[in-house]
């Protein structure tokens, strides 16, 4: 149903019919697959890059200006590019890695390339907020760099890291919708191909509802876990 032929409320009501959801439900599975796999890679590589940035900074546990400067520059280059451009640039990479430049697996390459640099910077910011006195006290007690990193820095900033990862997952979700216009499949494909191109606005409304629910659920889970950790530490 199109808004050009029917009223807003008629189209909105039809967005919740079985006819519409028979098309939307399979797309939800594709979107959740892309979000799930991409989020795992974003978590792993984002944490690693963030830790390296902090460790090699001037006041880090293992200062190395060359590594910090080069890695920071690469991350900033990726962060400077809009999401649409990153998707386009990563199409040849996706073709080389998964054999094609369209579909869910190809989309995952672009999602990871776009969101890892962002999450790495969020990890860096969270770790840099840690009270320097705790690190200095650990050094005075003879703790090694890795012990300080994984028993003090990461655990102490865990609630902040969880919130940062939650924001990264939300961005991944928004990018899956954008990637739909490049043949990635999922909710974005339904919204662009049917909702926009073919003026089936009832399908567009249905995809909007799905995206809102997914994002709210992710945000709720992230906030809840973060608050539970803070309550356990008697910080709230």
């Amino acid at each position: 149903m199109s808004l050009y032929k029917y009223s807003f409320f008629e189209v909105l009501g039809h967005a919740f019919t079985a006819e519409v959801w028979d098309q939307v439900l399979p797309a939800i599975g594709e979107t959740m697959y892309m979000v799930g796999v991409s989020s795992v890679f974003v978590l792993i590589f984002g944490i690693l890059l963030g830790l390296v940035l902090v460790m090699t900074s001037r006041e880090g546990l293992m200062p190395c200006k060359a590594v910090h400067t080069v890695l920071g520059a690469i991350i900033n280059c990726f962060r400077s590019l809009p999401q649409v451009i990153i998707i386009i640039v990563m199409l040849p990479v996706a073709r080389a890695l998964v054999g094609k430049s369209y579909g869910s697996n190809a989309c995952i390459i672009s999602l990871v390339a776009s969101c890892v640099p962002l999450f790495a910077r969020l990890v860096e910011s969270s770790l840099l907020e840690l009270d320097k006195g705790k690190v200095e006290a650990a050094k005075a007690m003879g703790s090694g760099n890795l012990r300080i990193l994984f028993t003090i820095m990461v655990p102490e900033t865990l609630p902040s890291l969880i919130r940062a990862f939650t924001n990264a997952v939300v961005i991944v979700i928004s990018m899956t919708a954008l990637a739909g216009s490049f043949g990635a499949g999922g909710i974005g494909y339904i919204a662009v191909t049917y909702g926009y191109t073919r003026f089936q606005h009832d399908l567009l409304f249905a995809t909007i509802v799905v995206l809102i629910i997914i994002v709210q659920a992710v945000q709720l889970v992230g906030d809840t876990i973060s608050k539970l950790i803070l309550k356990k530490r008697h910080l709230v």
Side-chain angles (χ1 to χ4, degrees):
M1 295 181 69
S2 172
L3 289 171
Y4 297 117
K5 295 182 179 180
Y6 301 92
S7 69
F8 173 82
F9 293 104
E10 286 178 317
V11 175
L12 181 62
H14 195 262
F16 294 93
T17 60
E19 177 187 350
V20 170
W21 285 90
D22 284 342
Q23 294 179 263
V24 174
L25 287 177
I28 296 177
E30 293 180 357
T31 295
M32 296 306 297
Y33 167 73
M34 290 187 286
V35 171
V37 176
S38 300
S39 297
V40 171
F41 283 109
V42 168
L43 177 63
I44 295 172
F45 292 113
I47 288 285
L48 290 176
L49 292 178
L51 292 178
V52 172
L53 284 172
V54 173
M55 293 281 286
T56 58
S57 64
R58 187 174 59 181
E59 298 179 354
L61 298 174
M62 301 172 62
C64 182
K65 184 177 180 180
V67 173
H68 185 80
T69 302
V70 172
L71 183 58
I74 294 173
I75 290 175
N76 289 338
C77 287
F78 276 91
R79 290 185 64 201
S80 301
L81 300 177
Q83 295 175 341
V84 174
I85 294 179
I86 288 182
I87 293 174
I88 296 172
V89 169
M90 296 305 295
L91 290 178
V93 178
R95 188 181 298 111
L97 292 177
V98 300
K100 56 184 179 180
S101 58
Y102 60 91
S104 300
N105 291 328
C107 172
I108 290 172
I109 307 298
S110 299
L111 294 177
V112 172
S114 177
C115 297
V116 163
L118 169 68
F119 183 50
R121 284 299 187 187
L122 292 176
V123 170
E124 179 190 23
S125 298
S126 298
L127 293 173
L128 290 176
E129 292 175 358
L130 180 65
D131 184 6
K132 303 298 182 183
K134 296 182 178 180
V135 176
E136 294 300 327
K139 287 182 179 180
M141 296 174 63
S143 298
N145 291 335
L146 292 180
R147 184 178 179 84
I148 293 173
L149 182 63
F150 291 109
T151 63
I152 296 177
M153 296 182 68
V154 172
E156 287 290 332
T157 58
L158 189 57
S160 179
L161 291 174
I162 292 173
R163 290 193 296 269
F165 180 61
T166 301
N167 291 333
V169 174
V170 170
I171 295 173
V172 169
I173 295 170
S174 69
M175 272 204 68
T176 61
L178 177 63
S181 58
F182 293 87
I187 295 298
Y189 178 79
I190 296 292
V192 172
T193 304
Y194 296 96
Y196 176 73
T197 305
R198 302 181 185 179
F199 306 108
Q200 296 182 18
H201 297 126
D202 48 350
L203 279 168
L204 178 61
F205 287 161
T207 60
I208 291 174
V209 170
V210 170
L211 290 173
I212 290 175
I213 292 174
I214 294 175
V215 169
Q216 292 298 322
V218 169
Q219 191 68 54
L220 177 62
V221 171
D223 290 344
T224 301
I225 295 175
S226 179
K227 289 179 180 178
L228 286 175
I229 295 174
L230 291 173
K231 285 183 179 180
K232 187 176 181 179
R233 298 177 180 179
H234 305 289
L235 296 176
V236 292

